[in-house]
Amino acid sequence: MHLSDFPDEILLMILARCKCNEDFDHFWELHLLSKRFARLVIDASIWQELELDISDGFKAELLLPLVGGTLRKLKIHASLMQRSWTQLRRCKRLEKLVIYGNDYDQCDMPLSIIPSKLNSLPDLVNLPNMRSLELANFVSFSVETQWLLRCTPNLDTLTLRYFQHFDDDDPVEFIQNVRLPLLRHLGLEDIMCCGEFFKAMGPVIHGLKSVRLVGGVLSINEIGQILDLVKGLEVLEVIGCMYLRKCDVVEVLERAGRQNVKLDFRKFKSRL
């Protein structure tokens, strides 16, 4: 029995298992076999998720124009954003986007967009179905990062990991232009600037229902600041924050009359 004798459904199941990063070069050669395989290797059913590492520049330039419209989850290294940014216009079905830098070398978001064009960015890229955005390993919550939020008007969950500071040169202009009416869940992990972040983002995050704080240098005053800004908070997770004690957090909740907030306090992060 020849491979071409199998129905499309079986071939797609096989192809879905062969498109991992290690085998991609061999996988892509299949499109040369026939018009049928050229169609199958970019079928929407096998391209719901895509991960692009720092060395996947060719893969990004090849795949995003072809399968971007079918993706629901994209994880991409920040160094590839400069070349891939405009291709995000094709990702209308995208529900989750993860942009990350190197664990060992934090960087800024290298978007090839000059400041004068930032105002038109949402007109160039609009991701209406995006519900979750995760940004990791950046020096700062930069202007480019802030404007990325303007392209995701229906965002439900925002997660920031390993940021050093919040670049608030013009926070008023940022807040005037960003609207995240559906944002309900915020996660901050090993953030060195929680106070700055909540100060600048206050009007944007007032509708949050849950906040997850992991690691970082967090003070009890910043917990109080969160409670002041987020009146409808229902769940507060505090995990691995070295300078905080559960009794102090409980006291702040009681003092603010927020005993209805569900507190999940863990002194140490889970080790997987």
Side-chain angles (χ1 to χ4, degrees):
M1 190 175 187
H2 194 271
L3 186 62
S4 60
D5 294 329
F6 287 97
D8 285 0
E9 292 76 9
I10 300 299
L11 290 177
L12 287 172
M13 291 175 62
I14 298 173
L15 291 173
R17 294 178 175 271
C18 295
K19 68 178 180 68
C20 58
N21 291 342
E22 295 81 0
D23 298 328
F24 179 76
D25 289 342
H26 294 115
F27 166 82
W28 189 247
E29 289 177 358
L30 292 173
H31 88 284
L32 300 174
L33 291 177
S34 66
K35 290 183 178 180
R36 183 188 181 200
F37 273 93
R39 171 177 55 83
L40 291 176
V41 295
I42 59 172
D43 189 88
S45 64
I46 64 174
W47 291 110
Q48 299 293 304
E49 299 183 8
L50 178 61
E51 182 172 344
L52 297 168
D53 205 349
I54 189 171
S55 60
D56 291 331
F58 169 74
K59 187 176 176 181
E61 292 180 1
L62 177 68
L63 286 179
L64 286 178
L66 292 174
V67 303
T70 69
L71 292 176
R72 297 192 180 277
K73 179 180 178 181
L74 173 62
K75 182 177 181 181
I76 184 170
H77 193 276
S79 63
L80 301 180
M81 285 297 294
Q82 188 169 10
R83 287 176 289 179
S84 305
W85 178 251
T86 56
Q87 296 298 337
L88 285 181
R89 288 181 295 179
R90 305 175 184 272
C91 303
K92 296 298 185 181
R93 298 184 182 180
L94 198 64
E95 297 174 358
K96 181 173 183 178
L97 175 62
V98 179
I99 305 176
Y100 65 101
N102 298 324
D103 292 338
Y104 53 84
D105 183 21
Q106 288 179 312
C107 58
D108 276 319
M109 183 86 72
L111 303 182
S112 58
I113 303 168
I114 60 175
S116 63
K117 291 186 178 180
L118 284 174
N119 282 317
S120 63
L121 187 56
D123 299 325
L124 297 174
V125 180
N126 183 30
L127 302 172
N129 291 314
M130 180 112 83
R131 297 293 182 268
S132 176
L133 175 64
E134 180 178 326
L135 305 172
N137 296 317
F138 294 105
V139 172
S140 68
F141 198 77
S142 63
V143 173
E144 291 88 354
T145 313
Q146 297 165 20
W147 284 93
L148 177 60
L149 295 177
R150 287 194 62 193
C151 305
T152 57
N154 297 317
L155 199 66
D156 172 81
T157 303
L158 175 63
T159 303
L160 306 178
R161 304 179 190 274
Y162 316 115
F163 277 70
Q164 290 184 7
H165 68 274
F166 187 92
D167 183 3
D168 58 349
D169 291 336
D170 199 352
V172 175
E173 180 182 351
F174 164 53
I175 290 172
Q176 287 176 344
N177 287 282
V178 174
R179 295 291 181 269
L180 300 174
L182 303 181
L183 189 65
R184 294 295 179 265
H185 310 285
L186 174 66
L188 303 179
E189 183 169 338
D190 288 317
I191 303 295
M192 307 303 292
C193 55
C194 284
E196 299 172 53
F197 177 84
F198 280 100
K199 179 181 178 181
M201 290 282 284
V204 178
I205 61 177
H206 64 86
L208 290 175
K209 296 299 181 183
S210 71
V211 173
R212 188 172 192 264
L213 306 170
V214 181
V217 182
L218 191 66
S219 70
I220 197 65
N221 290 333
E222 288 173 317
I223 296 293
Q225 186 178 6
I226 293 170
L227 295 175
D228 289 340
L229 291 170
V230 188
K231 301 300 184 182
L233 190 65
E234 298 175 358
V235 178
L236 175 62
E237 295 182 70
V238 182
I239 303 170
C241 297
M242 64 180 75
Y243 298 121
L244 291 180
R245 299 180 302 173
K246 183 175 182 179
C247 60
D248 294 331
V249 179
V250 171
E251 182 180 347
V252 170
L253 288 171
E254 292 177 348
R255 202 161 55 229
R258 307 293 290 279
Q259 293 92 334
N260 60 320
V261 174
K262 181 180 178 181
L263 175 64
D264 181 1
F265 186 95
R266 282 170 274 169
K267 194 64 178 175
F268 302 101
K269 300 180 190 179
S270 300
R271 294 185 180 273
L272 301 178

